[in-house]
Amino acid sequence: MKKQVYSLMILRGVAALAVVLSHFGRMFTNDPKFGDLFAFFRDYGRYGVQMFFVISGFVIPLSLDQAHYKLTSYAAFLKKRAYRLHPPYIAALILTLVLSYLSYKATGQVYEENAISITKSFFYLHFPKSNPVFWTLGVEVIYYLFIGLFFPVFKKYPALAAIVILPLLIVLSQTTLVGYVKFFNYTLYFLVGIFGYFIYSKQKLLFNAVGLAASLTALFYFKELPSAFIALLTILFIFFYKYKVPKPLNFLGEISYSVYLIHFVFGIKLINLLARYISPSYCWALLIAAILFVYAVSYVFYLLIEIPSANLSNKVKYKKSVETVIDRQTL
């Protein structure tokens, strides 16, 4: 029977809201009253992305373990992930392209996208500047390719994972390879989640504890201090939060993927449109209005696009395994 990990919904909702505040806050940093607060949102909300990577590092092994995943089901796993991730991304991409095109035409600017760049965007090979969150989906795709292959190794041979695979990935994260495959620049966050999952599920604790400790140590050494603290706090919250999630927080977690995908293109456009009519002293009200508007639109997007996509994903069955539904805690 599937064991509910209540903390994941809360963390997803917090991570999405943090990213929203980061993008919206930068629009109001010149506000005379709340400029410092908006600058704080801008500077630190962006670490919600790293929080998402840790969550993904944890929840994908969780779902694979519950489904008794074997390497023979690698193709089915990728198909599941594609059905879950890709349709909402494509819908958000189309909305982004249409709205940005109309915006460029209205301001008399030359549209920056073309047939080649748009085609690449459909396959995570290019990401429009008008929606800067999309690059993280490219990182997630590479992570799925990686974890589907190496999950059996992490599960059956934790010593090999901690002593060989982890050091190799740490070395790769410090090479020029990160300029070509961004996943290697963020691998440590996923590893915190992966090793954290095996500790959480009490599987071969010694080597997984070594792996988690080494991943966190490398994060504190190689990455920005706030992002390392976010990774640490995220996995600790997963370990120790055992309570049921209040309905409002559960709702924020449920629609977090939709919020993440479309908040920038809708929220920034709304702020730019209304800012010319609103006194600077009411910037805080415009920020709140933009957030409420984005969450309302995201809920509609969630109902129309994300739920059917999740249902389609759940219809894909792994071969020769006890299939359990991958719940909506996954991206």
Side-chain angles (χ1 to χ4, degrees):
M1 181 179 293
K2 179 178 68 175
K3 183 179 179 181
Q4 184 78 27
V5 184
Y6 296 114
S7 57
L8 296 175
M9 276 298 178
I10 295 177
L11 288 170
R12 286 187 61 197
V14 169
L17 181 58
V19 175
V20 170
L21 289 173
S22 177
H23 287 142
F24 291 3
R26 70 183 180 89
M27 305 294 290
F28 304 115
T29 54
N30 293 326
D31 179 76
K33 290 184 178 180
F34 302 104
D36 290 342
L37 177 61
F38 295 143
F40 178 84
F41 291 158
R42 177 199 63 197
D43 294 338
Y44 292 98
R46 61 192 177 97
Y47 294 114
V49 171
Q50 284 81 353
M51 188 182 296
F52 270 126
F53 289 157
V54 175
I55 295 168
S56 191
F58 182 95
V59 77
I60 299 301
L62 167 67
S63 64
L64 293 176
D65 217 10
Q66 290 177 344
H68 303 284
Y69 173 82
K70 305 294 182 183
L71 192 58
T72 52
S73 296
Y74 183 60
F77 165 69
L78 294 182
K79 189 175 182 180
K80 272 180 166 291
R81 292 288 82 211
Y83 284 162
R84 181 67 181 91
L85 183 82
H86 202 58
Y89 165 68
I90 293 301
L93 175 63
I94 292 173
L95 286 172
T96 297
L97 293 172
V98 170
L99 290 175
S100 62
Y101 175 78
L102 294 176
S103 177
Y104 272 77
K105 290 288 289 184
T107 56
Q109 300 179 64
V110 178
Y111 189 51
E112 60 186 8
E113 302 296 333
N114 54 51
I116 295 176
S117 67
I118 291 173
T119 301
K120 286 182 177 180
S121 297
F122 278 83
F123 300 97
Y124 306 98
L125 299 175
H126 170 79
F127 304 104
K129 293 180 181 179
S130 48
N131 199 333
V133 304
F134 284 163
W135 69 268
T136 63
L137 301 185
V139 174
E140 286 277 346
V141 167
I142 302 299
Y143 166 63
Y144 298 148
L145 295 173
F146 168 81
I147 194 62
L149 288 175
F150 286 95
F151 172 78
V153 178
F154 279 91
K155 181 174 176 60
K156 191 172 182 179
Y157 306 106
L160 179 64
I163 297 172
V164 178
I165 296 177
L166 174 60
L168 177 61
L169 290 174
I170 291 175
V171 170
L172 290 176
S173 72
Q174 302 307 307
T175 67
T176 56
L177 188 61
V178 300
Y180 302 95
V181 183
K182 283 189 175 182
F183 167 72
F184 290 112
N185 196 34
Y186 299 94
T187 305
L188 290 170
Y189 301 100
F190 291 106
L191 290 172
V192 168
I194 293 169
F195 286 115
Y197 165 70
F198 287 115
I199 293 173
Y200 182 90
S201 57
K202 297 180 173 59
Q203 301 183 44
K204 300 177 181 178
L205 293 176
L206 177 60
F207 287 108
N208 286 310
V210 170
L212 178 59
S215 299
L216 287 168
T217 300
L219 273 178
F220 276 94
Y221 185 80
F222 292 116
K223 301 297 182 182
E224 295 175 293
L225 195 60
S227 67
F229 271 115
I230 285 296
L232 174 61
L233 293 175
T234 300
I235 200 63
L236 288 177
F237 189 79
I238 294 173
F239 285 166
F240 295 110
Y241 186 89
K242 307 295 182 182
Y243 310 100
K244 288 188 177 181
V245 182
K247 288 185 178 180
L249 292 179
N250 189 73
F251 172 75
L252 295 181
E254 284 278 0
I255 69 170
S256 59
Y257 183 40
S258 296
V259 170
Y260 188 78
L261 286 174
I262 66 175
H263 76 272
F264 191 92
V265 67
F266 280 99
I268 298 299
K269 290 288 188 294
L270 180 68
I271 290 171
N272 286 333
L273 178 64
L274 297 182
R276 68 192 72 174
Y277 304 110
I278 295 178
S279 169
S281 59
Y282 289 100
C283 284
W284 59 270
L286 179 54
L287 175 67
I288 293 173
I291 291 173
L292 293 176
F293 174 74
V294 161
Y295 273 83
V297 174
S298 297
Y299 181 58
V300 175
F301 187 91
Y302 168 76
L303 293 176
L304 297 180
I305 307 296
E306 190 177 349
I307 287 182
S309 179
N311 291 337
L312 185 62
S313 173
N314 289 330
K315 290 180 181 179
V316 180
K317 305 298 182 181
Y318 291 150
K319 295 180 181 178
K320 298 180 182 180
S321 67
V322 180
E323 177 68 24
T324 60
V325 173
I326 297 180
D327 62 40
R328 293 172 186 162
Q329 296 177 75
T330 59
L331 287 176

